[in-house]
């Protein structure tokens, strides 16, 4: 199923992550984020991190590929990956991440077409400007974003995401 929401600013984007997706997440889950530069992928991940109670700050991991944020509440860690410069993430476990995909919630920016191998059970989140076009990085705060969630695999069957 696909469920679509709108976020008109960064706070709403974090709230969407926290209220719509995070309550369903548990260890082993994989979330792939798609959207242009500045769409709001990291902002969305920050909302997930807040909700999961992991140690922050969550920032764009562009220069390090992946970072593990341990839980501060005895739950799963958050593995935050930036796949922008990678061709495939077949062996994410080869990275020295202090956590494995099975034990953590793994969120991959630019994950579509790169990180599907991580799991058959996945959430794809596609973020786009409601008006279309690229984000003007001089004025990233302009423009609502649509956020479309699509659920794949047995693990997500019967789950419906509501705002
Ligand atoms: N509705 C919105 N949702 C998310 N972010 C928004 C929204 N409106 C404005 N912003 C701003 O847009 C920027 C989004 O940046 P963010 O780093 O989350 O994007 P990104 O998709 O991770 O980019 P990159 O491809 O560089 O990793 C932030 O400055 C944020 O405050
Ligand atoms: Mg980012």
């Amino acid at each position: 199923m696909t469920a679509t929401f709108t976020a008109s600013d960064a706070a709403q984007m974090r709230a969407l992550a926290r209220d719509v997706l995070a309550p369903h997440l548990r260890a082993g889950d994989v979330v792939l984020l798609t959207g242009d530069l500045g769409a709001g992928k990291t902002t969305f991940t920050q909302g997930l991190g807040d909700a999961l109670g992991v140690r922050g700050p969550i920032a764009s991991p562009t220069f390090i590929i992946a970072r593990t944020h341990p839980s501060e509440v005895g739950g799963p860690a958050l593995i935050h990956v930036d796949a922008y410069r990678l061709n495939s993430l077949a062996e994410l476990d080869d990275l020295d991440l202090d956590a494995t995909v099975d034990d953590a919630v793994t969120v991959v920016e630019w994950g579509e077409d790169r990180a599907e191998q991580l799991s058959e059970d996945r959430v794809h989140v596609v973020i786009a400007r409601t008006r279309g076009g690229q984000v003007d990085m001089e004025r990233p705060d302009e423009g609502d974003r649509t956020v479309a969630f699509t659920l794949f695999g047995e693990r997500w069957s019967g789950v419906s995401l509501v705002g």
Side-chain angles (χ1 to χ4, degrees), residues 7-10 13-14 35-44 60 62 82 109-110 135 140-145:
S8 55
D9 58 26
M13 182 65 87
R14 290 189 197 96
D36 288 337
L37 287 170
K41 301 178 296 296
T42 299
T43 305
F44 182 91
S60 211
T62 300
D82 192 318
E109 298 194 30
W110 304 97
V135 176
D141 291 339
E142 273 185 11
D144 295 359
R145 270 59 153 182

Side-chain angles (χ1 to χ4, degrees), residues 30 32 83 88-89 108 111-119 122:
V30 170
L32 307 189
S88 124
L89 273 180
V108 187
E112 199 169 356
D113 298 328
R114 292 180 171 91
E116 278 79 0
Q117 305 94 319
L118 285 176
S119 174
R122 297 182 306 271

Side-chain angles (χ1 to χ4, degrees), residues 49-50 53-59 67-70 72:
D50 287 348
V54 301
R55 192 199 304 154
I58 290 175
R67 182 177 282 138
T68 299
H69 298 272
E72 294 186 318

